[in-house]
């Protein structure tokens, strides 16, 4: 594996995590597969929903793009229609279809309402992301809530508002972040829409921030402070009210260096430094900028694999990195949700930006299951200490305590041998230890109540 985890950092980071018993009982997993679930192919939608359900996931994240459903979205002139009337948005039909099918399976949906927006809803009307009107967004939100309020009770406002692909400008000409202020007005407009329609009892998430800042992207903690009216010392500015938020959503993607990568900017938050977001929200709560104890929802996450030559890791490393990231999320008491972004990789593009999409899927673009597919069903982390190896995992879709078998394979051998059996808790989590052996590989086996057997992928142990 070209991207080798720094072993000492891995040892310290995972060993210092709270025990499994301390993790929040309410933490859940969500899945996002837009290409399949918003497809016009009814068979593909049904197969994908069944596959997600079979993996033990009962939450979907769906992003509804304002530009994609609005009438005359590319025209600068405002069309004459009632912007708060759901019947005026023919593009709602494909979302209706998916939500109906999800509800029939007993699945729940987090609906993220986001830009890009209609050109006529922006200040200068020459792009689809620059300074969207908060007033018009409030009207649009009323239409969305009226249309989908019976099927959705968890909402999120805007996808990656700290990224110029979804909201602009990010900075002023003098280099001051301005996107946080624009976003704050959108959130309050959404809150007023919920209250007007009578659905404020629903949960509304804010943030949905991208993990790292650049000269074009505002760093997530810089964005958080700006959106919450906080200065660099987390002191709230006068005449700023508390943000109406029921959770902070974040996309804690990392790099090919692995889940323990630490970005040098203290305003960035990848999965390996998730405590930075914990600390920021705790300080914001003490400043009365948000409700104290506000939860973190990791609403978009995945590990890039090959064939991407820059960001992608091997299929083995993808499965390992994803499992370690999930263990970090599970051990964080503030995290309410962890996610998987994509069932299938995005297809390669033409031109220089060949891998400009995401290769975070559990399957390749052609549909072949990667090791991460079985690793998602049976995640496993093996941490080798001086004398003992700690093993942690999860069984999906366990609905009660169940038995698992841990196998091992020593270096140079092709034969798997049974190491021990263990029993999960009622949610499918388990943890055990074994004698530490250098170079040993592990996997988990689980047999469903109906007799079907699942084998997890080969997992290497890491040592400090």
């Amino acid at each position: 594996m070209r991207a080798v985890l720094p072993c000492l950092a891995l040892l310290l980071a995972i060993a210092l995590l709270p025990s499994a018993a301390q993790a929040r009982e309410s933490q859940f997993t969500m899945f996002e597969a837009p290409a399949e679930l918003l497809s016009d192919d009814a068979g593909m939608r049904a197969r994908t929903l069944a596959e997600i359900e079979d993996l033990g996931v009962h939450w979907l994240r769906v992003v509804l793009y304002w530009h994609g459903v609005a009438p005359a979205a590319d025209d600068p002139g405002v069309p004459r229609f009632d912007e708060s009337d759901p019947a005026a948005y023919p593009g709602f039909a494909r979302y209706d279809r998916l939500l109906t099918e999800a509800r029939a399976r007993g699945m729940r949906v987090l609906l993220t309402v986001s830009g890009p927006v209609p050109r006529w809803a922006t200040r200068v009307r020459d792009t689809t992301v620059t300074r969207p009107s908060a007033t018009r967004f409030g009207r649009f939100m009323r239409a969305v809530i009226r249309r989908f309020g019976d099927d959705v009770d968890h909402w999120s406002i805007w996808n990656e508002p700290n990224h110029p692909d979804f909201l602009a400008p990010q900075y002023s000409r003098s280099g001051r972040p301005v996107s946080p202020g624009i976003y704050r007005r959108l959130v309050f407009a959404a809150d007023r829409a919920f209250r007007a329609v009578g659905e404020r009892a629903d949960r509304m998430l804010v943030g949905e921030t991208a993990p790292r800042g650049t000269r074009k992207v505002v760093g997530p903690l810089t964005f958080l402070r700006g959106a919450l009216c906080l200065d660099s010392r987390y002191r709230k500015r006068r005449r700023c009210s508390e943000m109406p938020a029921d959770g902070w959503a974040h996309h804690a993607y990392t790099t090919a260096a692995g889940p323990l990568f630490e970005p040098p900017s203290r305003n960035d938050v990848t999965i390996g430094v998730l405590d930075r977001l914990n600390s920021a929200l705790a300080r914001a709560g003490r400043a009365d900028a948000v409700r104290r104890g506000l939860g973190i929802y990791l609403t978009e996450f995945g590990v890039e694999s090959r064939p991407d030559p820059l960001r992608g890791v091997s299929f083995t490393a993808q499965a390992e990195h994803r499992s370690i990231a999930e263990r970090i999320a599970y051990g964080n008491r503030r995290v309410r949700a962890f996610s998987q972004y994509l069932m299938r990789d995005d297809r390669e593009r033409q031109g220089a930006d060949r891998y400009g999409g995401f290769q975070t899927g559990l399957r390749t673009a052609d549909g072949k299951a990667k090791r991460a597919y079985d690793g998602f069903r049976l995640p496993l982390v093996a941490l080798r200490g001086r004398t003992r190896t700690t093993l942690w995992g999860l069984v999906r879709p366990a609905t009660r305590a169940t038995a698992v078998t841990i196998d091992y394979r020593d270096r140079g051998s092709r034969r798997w041998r049974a190491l021990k059996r263990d029993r999960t808790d009622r949610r499918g989590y388990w943890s055990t230890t074994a004698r530490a052996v250098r170079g040993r590989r592990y996997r988990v086996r689980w047999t469903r109540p109906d007799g079907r057997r699942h084998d997890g992928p080969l997992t290497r142990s890491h040592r400090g």
Side-chain angles (χ1 to χ4, degrees):
M1 181 177 64
R2 295 181 64 184
V4 179
L5 285 171
C7 294
L8 180 58
L10 179 63
L11 174 66
L12 292 175
I14 297 183
L16 292 175
L17 287 172
S19 67
Q22 292 177 297
R24 298 193 69 90
E25 285 287 300
S26 58
Q27 191 175 125
F28 60 90
T29 305
M30 63 177 61
F31 209 106
E32 186 172 357
E36 296 91 339
L37 296 183
L38 292 173
S39 167
D40 292 331
D41 185 335
M44 177 179 289
R45 294 196 309 274
R47 289 190 300 272
T48 304
L49 285 170
E51 191 170 17
I52 292 170
E53 194 174 22
D54 187 65
L55 287 169
V57 179
H58 304 287
W59 278 84
L60 305 175
R61 177 180 182 246
V62 178
V63 183
L64 190 157
Y65 297 104
W66 187 1
H67 181 275
V69 298
D74 289 317
D75 291 345
V78 182
R80 298 184 62 179
F81 75 109
D82 183 352
E83 296 173 50
S84 62
D85 180 4
Y89 296 86
F92 280 168
R94 63 199 302 235
Y95 295 93
D96 266 328
R97 188 174 58 199
L98 171 58
L99 294 182
T100 299
E101 292 167 357
R103 182 182 59 200
R105 294 175 178 271
M107 303 178 84
R108 301 180 71 179
V109 171
L110 169 69
L111 189 64
T112 299
V113 186
S114 180
V117 312
R119 286 180 61 190
W120 48 259
T122 64
R123 177 179 293 182
V124 294
R125 301 186 182 181
D126 62 350
T127 77
T128 59
V129 292
T130 303
R131 297 187 185 276
S133 164
T135 300
R136 293 196 183 280
F137 181 62
R139 295 171 188 159
F140 177 61
M141 280 299 303
R142 291 190 188 196
V144 174
I145 298 164
R146 287 168 176 156
R147 184 63 164 261
F148 304 114
D150 290 341
D151 295 320
V152 175
D153 57 14
H154 278 62
W155 310 76
S156 194
I157 306 304
W158 229 262
N159 179 68
E160 299 191 351
N162 60 326
H163 196 291
D165 283 354
F166 302 98
L167 190 64
Q170 289 291 309
Y171 295 97
S172 68
R173 291 183 178 179
S174 63
R176 179 177 61 87
V178 295
S179 58
I182 299 171
Y183 179 68
R184 181 178 175 87
R185 291 188 287 274
L186 295 170
V187 169
F188 276 89
D191 181 64
R192 290 190 293 271
F194 278 109
R195 296 181 187 281
V197 180
E199 296 285 350
R200 192 56 190 96
D202 288 358
R203 296 184 69 81
M204 185 178 77
L205 309 185
V206 301
E208 291 280 11
T209 36
R212 302 186 68 187
T214 67
R215 293 181 179 179
K216 296 181 178 180
V217 179
V218 174
L221 296 190
T222 302
F223 185 88
L224 178 149
R225 291 191 298 270
L228 300 184
C229 278
L230 297 168
D231 65 17
S232 60
R233 294 185 179 183
Y234 288 82
R235 296 173 302 195
K236 191 169 69 170
R237 295 195 294 272
R238 296 180 63 183
R239 296 187 296 276
C240 274
S241 55
E242 179 183 300
M243 176 76 85
D246 299 302
W248 188 272
H250 182 62
H251 303 167
Y253 289 107
T254 186
T255 70
L260 275 300
F261 166 74
E262 295 189 11
S265 171
R266 298 295 297 175
N267 289 308
D268 292 348
V269 181
T270 54
I271 190 69
V273 291
L274 191 58
D275 276 347
R276 293 179 183 177
L277 184 54
N278 280 30
S279 177
L281 289 173
R283 297 176 72 179
R286 291 193 293 270
D288 295 325
V290 291
R291 189 181 68 220
R292 295 196 180 202
L294 196 71
I296 295 171
Y297 292 75
L298 301 177
T299 53
E300 190 176 313
F301 184 81
V303 175
E304 298 270 7
S305 74
R306 296 172 184 164
D308 187 324
L310 298 177
R311 298 174 297 175
V313 298
S314 70
F315 287 173
T316 296
Q318 182 192 28
E320 291 176 344
H321 291 188
R322 203 214 62 81
S323 294
I324 293 169
E326 183 162 12
R327 177 64 183 90
I328 293 171
Y330 179 72
N332 189 313
R333 288 184 59 82
R334 195 181 283 266
V335 174
R336 307 292 193 267
F338 186 69
S339 61
Q340 166 59 32
Y341 181 64
L342 295 188
M343 178 64 77
R344 298 187 183 209
D345 290 348
D346 289 333
R347 292 198 174 275
E348 296 178 18
R349 302 175 178 178
Q350 299 296 321
D353 194 21
R354 185 176 179 183
Y355 298 105
F358 282 78
Q359 280 70 49
T360 54
L362 304 183
R363 295 182 178 276
T364 66
D366 294 331
K368 182 179 179 181
K370 306 181 194 176
R371 288 186 172 180
Y373 190 96
D374 293 324
F376 182 84
R377 185 189 298 281
L378 295 171
L380 171 63
V381 176
L383 180 65
R384 183 164 59 92
R386 189 168 60 86
T387 61
R388 306 292 292 177
T389 293
T390 299
L391 300 156
W392 173 92
L394 167 63
V395 173
R396 289 188 172 102
T399 56
R400 62 178 69 89
T402 186
V404 295
T405 300
I406 301 99
D407 295 334
Y408 73 92
R409 196 174 82 188
D410 285 327
R411 179 178 293 173
S413 173
R414 294 186 177 182
R415 181 180 177 183
W416 288 103
R417 300 174 184 270
L419 176 68
K420 63 193 311 184
R421 286 173 62 84
D422 202 359
R423 194 158 185 84
T424 74
D425 66 14
R426 64 183 181 84
R427 299 177 64 221
Y429 293 96
W430 61 271
S431 181
T432 190
T433 65
R435 182 172 61 91
V437 178
R438 185 180 180 85
R440 180 164 283 183
R441 273 71 165 152
Y442 300 89
R443 74 173 183 184
V444 180
R445 284 186 285 123
W446 175 59
T447 301
R448 290 180 180 236
D450 63 8
R452 284 183 290 167
R453 170 176 153 172
H454 297 288
D455 293 354
L458 174 150
T459 301
R460 295 166 293 192
S461 63
H462 301 276
R463 179 182 178 181

